[in-house]
Amino acid sequence: TPKKARLDVSHFKRPTPEEIEKIERLANEAVMKNLKVTISEMERNKAEEQHGFVIYQGGAVPGKILRIVDIEDWDVEACGGVHLSQTGEAGLIKISKVERISDGVVRFEFYAGEPAIEYIQEREKLLEETAQTLRVPIDQVIATSERFFNEWKQRGKDVEKLREKIANIYLEKIE
């Protein structure tokens, strides 16, 4: 869509957070290099002969004629969704979600350009509001949240112990 996109990639497992961060950096590197994007239509057999089966990263593409997107010295795929002549037209790329959608296929959801900036700004607002709610600086949100969570768990255990004590007192009175 104009605001959000997704890319399905053949892969044996869900990437780690560090791998996702590296992928995001590489995607933005390709954008900043402003590489030429060539879009062509090819017969399936010719496309497979010229580029191999790597063009089916997200799975098989239907039809006898494939839309081939070739990003200069970077990647080539059978794809229906890219409408750029240079990678720089995409603007900032921000990955928002990564999930395994089937065995061997990982889906990346991401924002590009102005929607990516809006997404990041929305996340920053959430972080700022969380810091205000916790009454701590932003860089202390995680530690404070962990502390509050641990204290909450401990209080739950303390309440359970008190309930047992109360129950035992009542039991002694009844006996």
Side-chain angles (χ1 to χ4, degrees):
T1 70
K3 283 205 163 253
K4 192 175 186 181
R6 70 178 191 219
L7 175 67
D8 295 343
V9 178
S10 299
H11 198 52
F12 59 94
K13 68 176 180 79
R14 185 186 185 283
T16 65
E18 294 78 20
E19 289 169 330
I20 294 167
E21 192 174 291
K22 185 175 180 181
I23 290 165
E24 187 175 87
R25 279 197 191 115
L26 286 170
N28 281 295
E29 180 182 313
V31 167
M32 289 185 282
K33 285 184 176 182
N34 202 28
L35 302 169
K36 182 180 179 191
V37 179
T38 304
I39 299 172
S40 60
E41 290 188 352
M42 300 176 101
E43 290 184 16
R44 179 179 296 279
N45 294 341
K46 185 177 177 188
E48 290 171 357
E49 188 177 296
Q50 188 172 340
H51 302 291
F53 292 102
V54 71
I55 60 175
Y56 304 121
Q57 276 294 307
V61 177
K64 294 179 182 181
I65 304 294
L66 303 180
R67 183 173 177 271
I68 301 297
V69 177
D70 187 349
I71 300 173
E72 173 189 16
D73 299 325
W74 195 267
D75 189 26
V76 62
E77 289 189 28
C79 176
V82 177
H83 306 283
L84 309 172
S85 59
Q86 301 282 136
T87 57
E89 294 171 29
L92 174 71
I93 293 175
K94 179 64 184 155
I95 297 172
S96 59
K97 184 178 180 183
V98 178
E99 63 183 339
R100 278 185 56 168
I101 59 168
S102 67
D103 197 28
V105 179
V106 175
R107 174 168 290 163
F108 289 82
E109 290 185 7
F110 62 96
Y111 295 86
E114 189 69 31
I117 293 168
E118 291 168 7
Y119 175 80
I120 291 168
Q121 288 174 338
E122 286 171 15
R123 294 296 190 171
E124 285 178 344
K125 281 181 196 172
L126 286 172
L127 184 55
E128 288 170 9
E129 288 173 16
T130 302
Q132 288 173 358
T133 300
L134 296 173
R135 294 183 179 105
V136 297
I138 287 176
D139 63 345
Q140 293 179 16
V141 165
I142 293 173
T144 302
S145 297
E146 287 173 346
R147 190 184 86 232
F148 283 174
F149 179 74
N150 290 331
E151 288 174 5
W152 173 77
K153 275 180 27 183
Q154 185 58 49
R155 283 191 174 92
K157 291 176 184 177
D158 292 345
V159 166
E160 193 55 41
K161 286 179 186 175
L162 289 172
R163 283 185 179 151
E164 283 181 36
K165 284 183 180 181
I166 292 169
N168 286 335
I169 290 169
Y170 282 128
L171 185 61
E172 285 175 10
K173 284 185 178 182
I174 292 172
E175 289 176 346

